[in-house]
PDB file of all heavy atoms in Angstrom:
ATOM      1  N   ARG A1119       0.835  -1.212   0.000  1.00 97.00           N
ATOM      2  CA  ARG A1119       0.000   0.000   0.000  1.00 97.00           C
ATOM      3  C   ARG A1119       0.867   1.258   0.000  1.00 97.00           C
ATOM      4  O   ARG A1119       0.573   2.235  -0.692  1.00 97.00           O
ATOM      5  CB  ARG A1119      -0.954  -0.002   1.182  1.00 97.00           C
ATOM      6  CG  ARG A1119      -2.086  -1.002   1.024  1.00 97.00           C
ATOM      7  CD  ARG A1119      -3.156  -0.827   2.098  1.00 97.00           C
ATOM      8  NE  ARG A1119      -4.144  -1.877   2.026  1.00 97.00           N
ATOM      9  CZ  ARG A1119      -5.160  -1.905   1.170  1.00 97.00           C
ATOM     10  NH1 ARG A1119      -5.312  -0.928   0.295  1.00 97.00           N
ATOM     11  NH2 ARG A1119      -6.031  -2.902   1.186  1.00 97.00           N
ATOM     12  N   LEU A1120       1.942   1.227   0.776  1.00 97.00           N
ATOM     13  CA  LEU A1120       2.864   2.366   0.778  1.00 97.00           C
ATOM     14  C   LEU A1120       3.489   2.567  -0.600  1.00 97.00           C
ATOM     15  O   LEU A1120       3.587   3.696  -1.093  1.00 97.00           O
ATOM     16  CB  LEU A1120       3.970   2.156   1.816  1.00 97.00           C
ATOM     17  CG  LEU A1120       3.560   2.248   3.279  1.00 97.00           C
ATOM     18  CD1 LEU A1120       4.716   1.832   4.184  1.00 97.00           C
ATOM     19  CD2 LEU A1120       3.108   3.654   3.613  1.00 97.00           C
ATOM     20  N   LEU A1121       3.891   1.465  -1.222  1.00 97.00           N
ATOM     21  CA  LEU A1121       4.560   1.557  -2.517  1.00 97.00           C
ATOM     22  C   LEU A1121       3.607   1.945  -3.644  1.00 97.00           C
ATOM     23  O   LEU A1121       4.013   2.641  -4.578  1.00 97.00           O
ATOM     24  CB  LEU A1121       5.281   0.246  -2.839  1.00 97.00           C
ATOM     25  CG  LEU A1121       6.497  -0.043  -1.957  1.00 97.00           C
ATOM     26  CD1 LEU A1121       7.038  -1.436  -2.213  1.00 97.00           C
ATOM     27  CD2 LEU A1121       7.579   1.009  -2.179  1.00 97.00           C
ATOM     28  N   THR A1122       2.340   1.521  -3.564  1.00 97.00           N
ATOM     29  CA  THR A1122       1.395   1.959  -4.593  1.00 97.00           C
ATOM     30  C   THR A1122       1.121   3.456  -4.471  1.00 97.00           C
ATOM     31  O   THR A1122       0.825   4.106  -5.466  1.00 97.00           O
ATOM     32  CB  THR A1122       0.073   1.166  -4.554  1.00 97.00           C
ATOM     33  OG1 THR A1122      -0.529   1.299  -3.265  1.00 97.00           O
ATOM     34  CG2 THR A1122       0.279  -0.289  -4.920  1.00 97.00           C
ATOM     35  N   GLY A1123       1.226   3.980  -3.263  1.00 97.00           N
ATOM     36  CA  GLY A1123       1.107   5.426  -3.084  1.00 97.00           C
ATOM     37  C   GLY A1123       2.313   6.166  -3.618  1.00 97.00           C
ATOM     38  O   GLY A1123       2.193   7.230  -4.239  1.00 97.00           O
ATOM     39  N   LYS A1124       3.483   5.597  -3.396  1.00 97.00           N
ATOM     40  CA  LYS A1124       4.731   6.209  -3.849  1.00 97.00           C
ATOM     41  C   LYS A1124       4.931   6.051  -5.350  1.00 97.00           C
ATOM     42  O   LYS A1124       5.446   6.944  -6.013  1.00 97.00           O
ATOM     43  CB  LYS A1124       5.898   5.569  -3.086  1.00 97.00           C
ATOM     44  CG  LYS A1124       7.242   6.189  -3.341  1.00 97.00           C
ATOM     45  CD  LYS A1124       8.300   5.554  -2.454  1.00 97.00           C
ATOM     46  CE  LYS A1124       9.668   6.147  -2.690  1.00 97.00           C
ATOM     47  NZ  LYS A1124      10.696   5.510  -1.841  1.00 97.00           N
ATOM     48  N   TYR A1125       4.549   4.889  -5.864  1.00 96.00           N
ATOM     49  CA  TYR A1125       4.706   4.563  -7.286  1.00 96.00           C
ATOM     50  C   TYR A1125       3.363   4.108  -7.859  1.00 96.00           C
ATOM     51  O   TYR A1125       3.156   2.924  -8.116  1.00 96.00           O
ATOM     52  CB  TYR A1125       5.725   3.436  -7.477  1.00 96.00           C
ATOM     53  CG  TYR A1125       7.071   3.653  -6.836  1.00 96.00           C
ATOM     54  CD1 TYR A1125       7.430   2.959  -5.685  1.00 96.00           C
ATOM     55  CD2 TYR A1125       7.995   4.529  -7.386  1.00 96.00           C
ATOM     56  CE1 TYR A1125       8.675   3.131  -5.104  1.00 96.00           C
ATOM     57  CE2 TYR A1125       9.238   4.722  -6.810  1.00 96.00           C
ATOM     58  CZ  TYR A1125       9.573   4.015  -5.665  1.00 96.00           C
ATOM     59  OH  TYR A1125      10.804   4.187  -5.093  1.00 96.00           O
ATOM     60  N   PRO A1126       2.429   5.019  -8.062  1.00 97.00           N
ATOM     61  CA  PRO A1126       1.079   4.622  -8.486  1.00 97.00           C
ATOM     62  C   PRO A1126       1.013   3.935  -9.855  1.00 97.00           C
ATOM     63  O   PRO A1126       0.027   3.274 -10.149  1.00 97.00           O
ATOM     64  CB  PRO A1126       0.295   5.930  -8.482  1.00 97.00           C
ATOM     65  CG  PRO A1126       1.324   7.004  -8.549  1.00 97.00           C
ATOM     66  CD  PRO A1126       2.557   6.454  -7.897  1.00 97.00           C
ATOM     67  N   GLU A1127       2.038   4.063 -10.655  1.00 96.00           N
ATOM     68  CA  GLU A1127       2.054   3.421 -11.971  1.00 96.00           C
ATOM     69  C   GLU A1127       2.909   2.161 -11.996  1.00 96.00           C
ATOM     70  O   GLU A1127       3.209   1.636 -13.074  1.00 96.00           O
ATOM     71  CB  GLU A1127       2.543   4.415 -13.033  1.00 96.00           C
ATOM     72  CG  GLU A1127       1.663   5.655 -13.156  1.00 96.00           C
ATOM     73  CD  GLU A1127       0.201   5.338 -13.449  1.00 96.00           C
ATOM     74  OE1 GLU A1127      -0.066   4.544 -14.369  1.00 96.00           O
ATOM     75  OE2 GLU A1127      -0.682   5.881 -12.742  1.00 96.00           O
ATOM     76  N   SER A1128       3.283   1.657 -10.829  1.00 96.00           N
ATOM     77  CA  SER A1128       4.087   0.442 -10.747  1.00 96.00           C
ATOM     78  C   SER A1128       3.187  -0.786 -10.725  1.00 96.00           C
ATOM     79  O   SER A1128       2.518  -1.068  -9.733  1.00 96.00           O
ATOM     80  CB  SER A1128       4.963   0.452  -9.486  1.00 96.00           C
ATOM     81  OG  SER A1128       5.561  -0.821  -9.311  1.00 96.00           O
ATOM     82  N   GLY A1129       3.199  -1.520 -11.812  1.00 95.00           N
ATOM     83  CA  GLY A1129       2.424  -2.752 -11.873  1.00 95.00           C
ATOM     84  C   GLY A1129       2.865  -3.754 -10.823  1.00 95.00           C
ATOM     85  O   GLY A1129       2.043  -4.476 -10.261  1.00 95.00           O
ATOM     86  N   MET A1130       4.155  -3.775 -10.533  1.00 94.00           N
ATOM     87  CA  MET A1130       4.675  -4.724  -9.550  1.00 94.00           C
ATOM     88  C   MET A1130       4.142  -4.417  -8.149  1.00 94.00           C
ATOM     89  O   MET A1130       3.809  -5.336  -7.394  1.00 94.00           O
ATOM     90  CB  MET A1130       6.201  -4.713  -9.550  1.00 94.00           C
ATOM     91  CG  MET A1130       6.830  -5.750  -8.692  1.00 94.00           C
ATOM     92  SD  MET A1130       6.353  -7.400  -9.247  1.00 94.00           S
ATOM     93  CE  MET A1130       7.000  -8.378  -7.932  1.00 94.00           C
ATOM     94  N   ALA A1131       4.053  -3.154  -7.794  1.00 96.00           N
ATOM     95  CA  ALA A1131       3.521  -2.785  -6.479  1.00 96.00           C
ATOM     96  C   ALA A1131       2.059  -3.204  -6.365  1.00 96.00           C
ATOM     97  O   ALA A1131       1.631  -3.763  -5.350  1.00 96.00           O
ATOM     98  CB  ALA A1131       3.668  -1.284  -6.239  1.00 96.00           C
ATOM     99  N   TRP A1132       1.284  -2.961  -7.417  1.00 97.00           N
ATOM    100  CA  TRP A1132      -0.127  -3.350  -7.424  1.00 97.00           C
ATOM    101  C   TRP A1132      -0.283  -4.865  -7.432  1.00 97.00           C
ATOM    102  O   TRP A1132      -1.197  -5.407  -6.808  1.00 97.00           O
ATOM    103  CB  TRP A1132      -0.847  -2.713  -8.609  1.00 97.00           C
ATOM    104  CG  TRP A1132      -1.082  -1.254  -8.388  1.00 97.00           C
ATOM    105  CD1 TRP A1132      -0.347  -0.216  -8.897  1.00 97.00           C
ATOM    106  CD2 TRP A1132      -2.085  -0.667  -7.580  1.00 97.00           C
ATOM    107  NE1 TRP A1132      -0.854   0.984  -8.450  1.00 97.00           N
ATOM    108  CE2 TRP A1132      -1.923   0.735  -7.635  1.00 97.00           C
ATOM    109  CE3 TRP A1132      -3.129  -1.184  -6.807  1.00 97.00           C
ATOM    110  CZ2 TRP A1132      -2.757   1.616  -6.957  1.00 97.00           C
ATOM    111  CZ3 TRP A1132      -3.956  -0.301  -6.132  1.00 97.00           C
ATOM    112  CH2 TRP A1132      -3.768   1.081  -6.203  1.00 97.00           C
ATOM    113  N   LYS A1133       0.604  -5.545  -8.140  1.00 96.00           N
ATOM    114  CA  LYS A1133       0.557  -7.016  -8.186  1.00 96.00           C
ATOM    115  C   LYS A1133       0.812  -7.590  -6.795  1.00 96.00           C
ATOM    116  O   LYS A1133       0.126  -8.524  -6.358  1.00 96.00           O
ATOM    117  CB  LYS A1133       1.595  -7.532  -9.184  1.00 96.00           C
ATOM    118  CG  LYS A1133       1.536  -9.008  -9.429  1.00 96.00           C
ATOM    119  CD  LYS A1133       2.464  -9.406 -10.571  1.00 96.00           C
ATOM    120  CE  LYS A1133       2.341 -10.880 -10.852  1.00 96.00           C
ATOM    121  NZ  LYS A1133       2.963 -11.248 -12.131  1.00 96.00           N
ATOM    122  N   ALA A1134       1.768  -7.014  -6.076  1.00 96.00           N
ATOM    123  CA  ALA A1134       2.057  -7.472  -4.718  1.00 96.00           C
ATOM    124  C   ALA A1134       0.872  -7.205  -3.795  1.00 96.00           C
ATOM    125  O   ALA A1134       0.521  -8.048  -2.957  1.00 96.00           O
ATOM    126  CB  ALA A1134       3.321  -6.790  -4.196  1.00 96.00           C
ATOM    127  N   LEU A1135       0.252  -6.043  -3.949  1.00 97.00           N
ATOM    128  CA  LEU A1135      -0.912  -5.733  -3.129  1.00 97.00           C
ATOM    129  C   LEU A1135      -2.041  -6.720  -3.410  1.00 97.00           C
ATOM    130  O   LEU A1135      -2.645  -7.257  -2.483  1.00 97.00           O
ATOM    131  CB  LEU A1135      -1.387  -4.293  -3.375  1.00 97.00           C
ATOM    132  CG  LEU A1135      -2.648  -3.875  -2.621  1.00 97.00           C
ATOM    133  CD1 LEU A1135      -2.475  -4.024  -1.109  1.00 97.00           C
ATOM    134  CD2 LEU A1135      -3.040  -2.448  -2.996  1.00 97.00           C
ATOM    135  N   ALA A1136      -2.304  -6.966  -4.675  1.00 97.00           N
ATOM    136  CA  ALA A1136      -3.366  -7.910  -5.035  1.00 97.00           C
ATOM    137  C   ALA A1136      -3.080  -9.300  -4.473  1.00 97.00           C
ATOM    138  O   ALA A1136      -3.977  -9.951  -3.922  1.00 97.00           O
ATOM    139  CB  ALA A1136      -3.524  -7.973  -6.555  1.00 97.00           C
ATOM    140  N   ALA A1137      -1.841  -9.737  -4.581  1.00 96.00           N
ATOM    141  CA  ALA A1137      -1.473 -11.064  -4.062  1.00 96.00           C
ATOM    142  C   ALA A1137      -1.668 -11.128  -2.555  1.00 96.00           C
ATOM    143  O   ALA A1137      -2.200 -12.114  -2.029  1.00 96.00           O
ATOM    144  CB  ALA A1137      -0.029 -11.389  -4.432  1.00 96.00           C
ATOM    145  N   SER A1138      -1.257 -10.078  -1.859  1.00 97.00           N
ATOM    146  CA  SER A1138      -1.394 -10.086  -0.394  1.00 97.00           C
ATOM    147  C   SER A1138      -2.858 -10.127   0.006  1.00 97.00           C
ATOM    148  O   SER A1138      -3.231 -10.830   0.948  1.00 97.00           O
ATOM    149  CB  SER A1138      -0.693  -8.877   0.221  1.00 97.00           C
ATOM    150  OG  SER A1138      -1.386  -7.682  -0.048  1.00 97.00           O
ATOM    151  N   LEU A1139      -3.689  -9.389  -0.703  1.00 97.00           N
ATOM    152  CA  LEU A1139      -5.119  -9.375  -0.386  1.00 97.00           C
ATOM    153  C   LEU A1139      -5.752 -10.735  -0.675  1.00 97.00           C
ATOM    154  O   LEU A1139      -6.543 -11.239   0.134  1.00 97.00           O
ATOM    155  CB  LEU A1139      -5.821  -8.269  -1.184  1.00 97.00           C
ATOM    156  CG  LEU A1139      -5.429  -6.841  -0.818  1.00 97.00           C
ATOM    157  CD1 LEU A1139      -6.011  -5.857  -1.824  1.00 97.00           C
ATOM    158  CD2 LEU A1139      -5.843  -6.500   0.594  1.00 97.00           C
ATOM    159  N   ARG A1140      -5.410 -11.322  -1.820  1.00 95.00           N
ATOM    160  CA  ARG A1140      -5.988 -12.625  -2.189  1.00 95.00           C
ATOM    161  C   ARG A1140      -5.669 -13.696  -1.162  1.00 95.00           C
ATOM    162  O   ARG A1140      -6.552 -14.430  -0.737  1.00 95.00           O
ATOM    163  CB  ARG A1140      -5.485 -13.071  -3.564  1.00 95.00           C
ATOM    164  CG  ARG A1140      -6.175 -12.413  -4.719  1.00 95.00           C
ATOM    165  CD  ARG A1140      -5.889 -13.092  -6.060  1.00 95.00           C
ATOM    166  NE  ARG A1140      -4.577 -13.688  -6.194  1.00 95.00           N
ATOM    167  CZ  ARG A1140      -3.498 -13.068  -6.646  1.00 95.00           C
ATOM    168  NH1 ARG A1140      -3.554 -11.810  -7.027  1.00 95.00           N
ATOM    169  NH2 ARG A1140      -2.342 -13.699  -6.739  1.00 95.00           N
ATOM    170  N   VAL A1141      -4.406 -13.793  -0.754  1.00 96.00           N
ATOM    171  CA  VAL A1141      -4.029 -14.864   0.172  1.00 96.00           C
ATOM    172  C   VAL A1141      -4.611 -14.656   1.567  1.00 96.00           C
ATOM    173  O   VAL A1141      -4.736 -15.609   2.327  1.00 96.00           O
ATOM    174  CB  VAL A1141      -2.500 -15.088   0.247  1.00 96.00           C
ATOM    175  CG1 VAL A1141      -1.946 -15.506  -1.088  1.00 96.00           C
ATOM    176  CG2 VAL A1141      -1.782 -13.873   0.783  1.00 96.00           C
ATOM    177  N   GLN A1142      -4.983 -13.422   1.887  1.00 96.00           N
ATOM    178  CA  GLN A1142      -5.622 -13.144   3.171  1.00 96.00           C
ATOM    179  C   GLN A1142      -7.147 -13.264   3.095  1.00 96.00           C
ATOM    180  O   GLN A1142      -7.829 -13.059   4.090  1.00 96.00           O
ATOM    181  CB  GLN A1142      -5.257 -11.739   3.657  1.00 96.00           C
ATOM    182  CG  GLN A1142      -3.789 -11.562   3.993  1.00 96.00           C
ATOM    183  CD  GLN A1142      -3.517 -10.143   4.439  1.00 96.00           C
ATOM    184  OE1 GLN A1142      -3.637  -9.831   5.625  1.00 96.00           O
ATOM    185  NE2 GLN A1142      -3.178  -9.274   3.496  1.00 96.00           N
ATOM    186  N   GLY A1143      -7.661 -13.572   1.909  1.00 95.00           N
ATOM    187  CA  GLY A1143      -9.100 -13.701   1.744  1.00 95.00           C
ATOM    188  C   GLY A1143      -9.830 -12.374   1.696  1.00 95.00           C
ATOM    189  O   GLY A1143     -11.038 -12.311   1.935  1.00 95.00           O
ATOM    190  N   LYS A1144      -9.125 -11.317   1.389  1.00 96.00           N
ATOM    191  CA  LYS A1144      -9.712  -9.985   1.312  1.00 96.00           C
ATOM    192  C   LYS A1144     -10.083  -9.660  -0.140  1.00 96.00           C
ATOM    193  O   LYS A1144      -9.628 -10.318  -1.073  1.00 96.00           O
ATOM    194  CB  LYS A1144      -8.728  -8.934   1.828  1.00 96.00           C
ATOM    195  CG  LYS A1144      -8.389  -9.086   3.310  1.00 96.00           C
ATOM    196  CD  LYS A1144      -7.441  -8.000   3.751  1.00 96.00           C
ATOM    197  CE  LYS A1144      -7.122  -8.105   5.238  1.00 96.00           C
ATOM    198  NZ  LYS A1144      -6.197  -7.024   5.655  1.00 96.00           N
ATOM    199  N   ASP A1145     -10.884  -8.635  -0.313  1.00 96.00           N
ATOM    200  CA  ASP A1145     -11.313  -8.200  -1.638  1.00 96.00           C
ATOM    201  C   ASP A1145     -10.135  -7.579  -2.387  1.00 96.00           C
ATOM    202  O   ASP A1145      -9.643  -6.519  -2.007  1.00 96.00           O
ATOM    203  CB  ASP A1145     -12.456  -7.199  -1.506  1.00 96.00           C
ATOM    204  CG  ASP A1145     -12.981  -6.715  -2.850  1.00 96.00           C
ATOM    205  OD1 ASP A1145     -12.641  -7.309  -3.896  1.00 96.00           O
ATOM    206  OD2 ASP A1145     -13.749  -5.740  -2.845  1.00 96.00           O
ATOM    207  N   ALA A1146      -9.721  -8.225  -3.460  1.00 96.00           N
ATOM    208  CA  ALA A1146      -8.580  -7.757  -4.250  1.00 96.00           C
ATOM    209  C   ALA A1146      -9.006  -7.190  -5.596  1.00 96.00           C
ATOM    210  O   ALA A1146      -8.161  -6.867  -6.425  1.00 96.00           O
ATOM    211  CB  ALA A1146      -7.598  -8.904  -4.451  1.00 96.00           C
ATOM    212  N   LEU A1147     -10.299  -7.039  -5.823  1.00 97.00           N
ATOM    213  CA  LEU A1147     -10.806  -6.662  -7.137  1.00 97.00           C
ATOM    214  C   LEU A1147     -10.205  -5.352  -7.657  1.00 97.00           C
ATOM    215  O   LEU A1147      -9.718  -5.301  -8.787  1.00 97.00           O
ATOM    216  CB  LEU A1147     -12.332  -6.579  -7.127  1.00 97.00           C
ATOM    217  CG  LEU A1147     -12.989  -6.303  -8.478  1.00 97.00           C
ATOM    218  CD1 LEU A1147     -12.625  -7.369  -9.498  1.00 97.00           C
ATOM    219  CD2 LEU A1147     -14.494  -6.207  -8.311  1.00 97.00           C
ATOM    220  N   ALA A1148     -10.214  -4.310  -6.871  1.00 96.00           N
ATOM    221  CA  ALA A1148      -9.690  -3.013  -7.331  1.00 96.00           C
ATOM    222  C   ALA A1148      -8.206  -3.102  -7.673  1.00 96.00           C
ATOM    223  O   ALA A1148      -7.763  -2.556  -8.687  1.00 96.00           O
ATOM    224  CB  ALA A1148      -9.932  -1.941  -6.275  1.00 96.00           C
ATOM    225  N   ALA A1149      -7.444  -3.799  -6.835  1.00 97.00           N
ATOM    226  CA  ALA A1149      -6.009  -3.955  -7.105  1.00 97.00           C
ATOM    227  C   ALA A1149      -5.779  -4.776  -8.371  1.00 97.00           C
ATOM    228  O   ALA A1149      -4.906  -4.455  -9.179  1.00 97.00           O
ATOM    229  CB  ALA A1149      -5.312  -4.604  -5.916  1.00 97.00           C
ATOM    230  N   LEU A1150      -6.567  -5.816  -8.556  1.00 97.00           N
ATOM    231  CA  LEU A1150      -6.437  -6.636  -9.759  1.00 97.00           C
ATOM    232  C   LEU A1150      -6.784  -5.847 -11.018  1.00 97.00           C
ATOM    233  O   LEU A1150      -6.130  -5.997 -12.056  1.00 97.00           O
ATOM    234  CB  LEU A1150      -7.312  -7.882  -9.652  1.00 97.00           C
ATOM    235  CG  LEU A1150      -6.831  -8.933  -8.664  1.00 97.00           C
ATOM    236  CD1 LEU A1150      -7.936  -9.941  -8.376  1.00 97.00           C
ATOM    237  CD2 LEU A1150      -5.587  -9.619  -9.189  1.00 97.00           C
ATOM    238  N   GLN A1151      -7.796  -5.018 -10.932  1.00 97.00           N
ATOM    239  CA  GLN A1151      -8.154  -4.187 -12.082  1.00 97.00           C
ATOM    240  C   GLN A1151      -7.023  -3.229 -12.429  1.00 97.00           C
ATOM    241  O   GLN A1151      -6.714  -3.023 -13.601  1.00 97.00           O
ATOM    242  CB  GLN A1151      -9.449  -3.426 -11.799  1.00 97.00           C
ATOM    243  CG  GLN A1151     -10.652  -4.330 -11.783  1.00 97.00           C
ATOM    244  CD  GLN A1151     -11.917  -3.647 -11.305  1.00 97.00           C
ATOM    245  OE1 GLN A1151     -11.873  -2.765 -10.451  1.00 97.00           O
ATOM    246  NE2 GLN A1151     -13.045  -4.059 -11.849  1.00 97.00           N
ATOM    247  N   LYS A1152      -6.397  -2.672 -11.414  1.00 97.00           N
ATOM    248  CA  LYS A1152      -5.272  -1.754 -11.644  1.00 97.00           C
ATOM    249  C   LYS A1152      -4.090  -2.514 -12.255  1.00 97.00           C
ATOM    250  O   LYS A1152      -3.458  -2.028 -13.198  1.00 97.00           O
ATOM    251  CB  LYS A1152      -4.879  -1.083 -10.322  1.00 97.00           C
ATOM    252  CG  LYS A1152      -3.826  -0.032 -10.451  1.00 97.00           C
ATOM    253  CD  LYS A1152      -4.359   1.209 -11.105  1.00 97.00           C
ATOM    254  CE  LYS A1152      -3.310   2.319 -11.051  1.00 97.00           C
ATOM    255  NZ  LYS A1152      -3.785   3.551 -11.642  1.00 97.00           N
ATOM    256  N   VAL A1153      -3.804  -3.694 -11.734  1.00 96.00           N
ATOM    257  CA  VAL A1153      -2.690  -4.495 -12.252  1.00 96.00           C
ATOM    258  C   VAL A1153      -2.887  -4.797 -13.727  1.00 96.00           C
ATOM    259  O   VAL A1153      -1.962  -4.655 -14.531  1.00 96.00           O
ATOM    260  CB  VAL A1153      -2.532  -5.826 -11.474  1.00 96.00           C
ATOM    261  CG1 VAL A1153      -1.551  -6.748 -12.173  1.00 96.00           C
ATOM    262  CG2 VAL A1153      -2.088  -5.581 -10.063  1.00 96.00           C
ATOM    263  N   THR A1154      -4.072  -5.230 -14.103  1.00 96.00           N
ATOM    264  CA  THR A1154      -4.295  -5.606 -15.497  1.00 96.00           C
ATOM    265  C   THR A1154      -4.225  -4.401 -16.432  1.00 96.00           C
ATOM    266  O   THR A1154      -3.880  -4.561 -17.599  1.00 96.00           O
ATOM    267  CB  THR A1154      -5.618  -6.371 -15.680  1.00 96.00           C
ATOM    268  OG1 THR A1154      -6.690  -5.589 -15.183  1.00 96.00           O
ATOM    269  CG2 THR A1154      -5.570  -7.710 -14.973  1.00 96.00           C
ATOM    270  N   CYS A1155      -4.515  -3.217 -15.925  1.00 97.00           N
ATOM    271  CA  CYS A1155      -4.327  -2.009 -16.732  1.00 97.00           C
ATOM    272  C   CYS A1155      -2.845  -1.685 -16.911  1.00 97.00           C
ATOM    273  O   CYS A1155      -2.418  -1.298 -17.992  1.00 97.00           O
ATOM    274  CB  CYS A1155      -5.033  -0.820 -16.091  1.00 97.00           C
ATOM    275  SG  CYS A1155      -6.819  -0.886 -16.223  1.00 97.00           S
TER     276      CYS A1155
END
């Protein structure tokens, strides 16, 4: 979350956020949409 704020156009930061949310069973939809863009 810190890195997506610092680097909002970093696909890797968003990918890590999405992965962390998925494995915790949290809603990762917004992060996944950003990653695919």
